[in-house]
Amino acid sequence: MEAVLLNTAGGVTGGDRFRFSGKAAEGTTLTLTTQACERVYKAQPEEIGQITNHLTVQSGARVNWLPQETILFNDSALERRLKIDLAPEAELLMIEPMVFGRAAMGERLSKIRLSDRIEIHRQKGPVFLDAIQFSGDLNAHLSKPHIANGAGAMALIVFASKAVEAHLGPVRDMLPDTAGATLIQNELLIVRALAENSFALRRTLMPVLRQLNKGTLPRCWML
């Protein structure tokens, strides 16, 4: 089953609260994506937009969490949480791509607030935790050579499966110099990617996602 999440507000701004929960029952496969890129707009000084997502994957099931890019605008404020609970024998493919302003429009993120946290648990124990906390001039921070060297977009891919080791070599062969892939534990493949802009990021991500998802992508990614 494939489901498309819609944001009827057209984006996220300060004071908004969005919450989603999804569950894949035993032996099923659920693919979740978004209709378009999520936009995080300017917020008032004391306000922050919140997005909370919780996925449960039962034994023998698989969830593909494949949202399109989140685009940050200047003066945006976002607190986002993604928690995923995996049962034994459950599989997960997830991506979280993020774009730092629209490069074609000459946008510069000189002031943002961002808190982003991803937790993956299996059998109630943590197997992966990723967290970002930033406030201030993001463009200046990303321009540092040993931070992002001026990258305008990034992505995290996590693939949890018994088959991860067989994919490591092919995935590494697909990646440019600004991306890398590694195994964490025996059943967790992690890919991190930086790119100049969203177009370059997609050129990196799409072959990798096809590799990890049996050659397919949600139709929304192709429009």
Side-chain angles (χ1 to χ4, degrees):
M1 179 178 291
E2 183 174 308
V4 180
L5 305 180
L6 306 178
N7 184 346
T8 56
V12 181
T13 188
D16 288 343
R17 304 288 186 269
F18 293 93
R19 183 179 297 271
F20 171 79
S21 62
K23 180 179 180 180
E26 186 172 346
T28 63
T29 298
L30 174 62
T31 296
L32 296 159
T33 187
T34 54
Q35 182 187 32
C37 297
E38 181 67 275
R39 290 163 173 80
V40 185
Y41 295 122
K42 179 179 179 179
Q44 296 299 317
E46 303 302 319
E47 295 284 0
I48 188 166
Q50 296 183 359
I51 301 175
T52 304
N53 297 306
H54 184 204
L55 306 175
T56 303
V57 192
Q58 294 190 343
S59 184
R62 172 170 171 147
V63 164
N64 301 312
W65 175 256
L66 304 175
Q68 297 188 65
E69 298 90 338
T70 295
I71 303 175
L72 302 180
F73 284 66
N74 199 39
D75 278 317
S76 60
L78 175 65
E79 181 181 285
R80 187 171 66 174
R81 300 289 182 266
L82 171 60
K83 183 180 180 183
I84 304 172
D85 290 313
L86 301 176
E89 309 300 323
E91 290 192 352
L92 168 73
L93 173 60
M94 64 140 286
I95 185 170
E96 282 293 355
M98 186 170 287
V99 178
F100 311 120
R102 298 172 299 176
M105 304 295 291
E107 292 172 346
R108 187 180 187 282
L109 302 188
S110 60
K111 182 182 178 184
I112 72 157
R113 290 170 285 157
L114 174 64
S115 176
D116 194 21
R117 184 181 179 91
I118 298 170
E119 299 180 32
I120 301 175
H121 297 253
R122 192 184 288 277
Q123 293 181 283
K124 299 182 179 180
V127 295
F128 181 79
L129 171 63
D130 188 75
I132 297 172
Q133 189 83 27
F134 186 84
S135 179
D137 189 332
L138 185 61
N139 274 87
H141 183 69
L142 295 175
S143 67
K144 297 176 182 178
H146 301 295
I147 300 295
N149 200 32
M154 72 175 187
L156 166 69
I157 298 174
V158 179
F159 183 43
S161 168
K162 289 185 176 180
V164 294
E165 192 169 354
H167 290 283
L168 179 60
V171 166
R172 281 178 168 170
D173 290 341
M174 297 174 183
L175 298 177
D177 293 340
T178 55
T182 189
L183 295 182
I184 297 179
Q185 304 180 18
N186 295 327
E187 299 180 6
L188 211 60
L189 172 62
I190 308 297
V191 179
R192 295 187 185 274
L194 292 170
E196 180 183 359
N197 51 46
S198 59
F199 178 76
L201 184 66
R202 283 214 170 197
R203 291 185 62 182
T204 296
L205 298 179
M206 293 176 74
V208 174
L209 293 177
R210 288 194 180 99
Q211 169 73 27
L212 300 177
N213 197 34
K214 301 178 181 179
T216 64
L217 278 173
R219 183 174 295 182
C220 293
W221 274 73
M222 311 305 295
L223 299 178

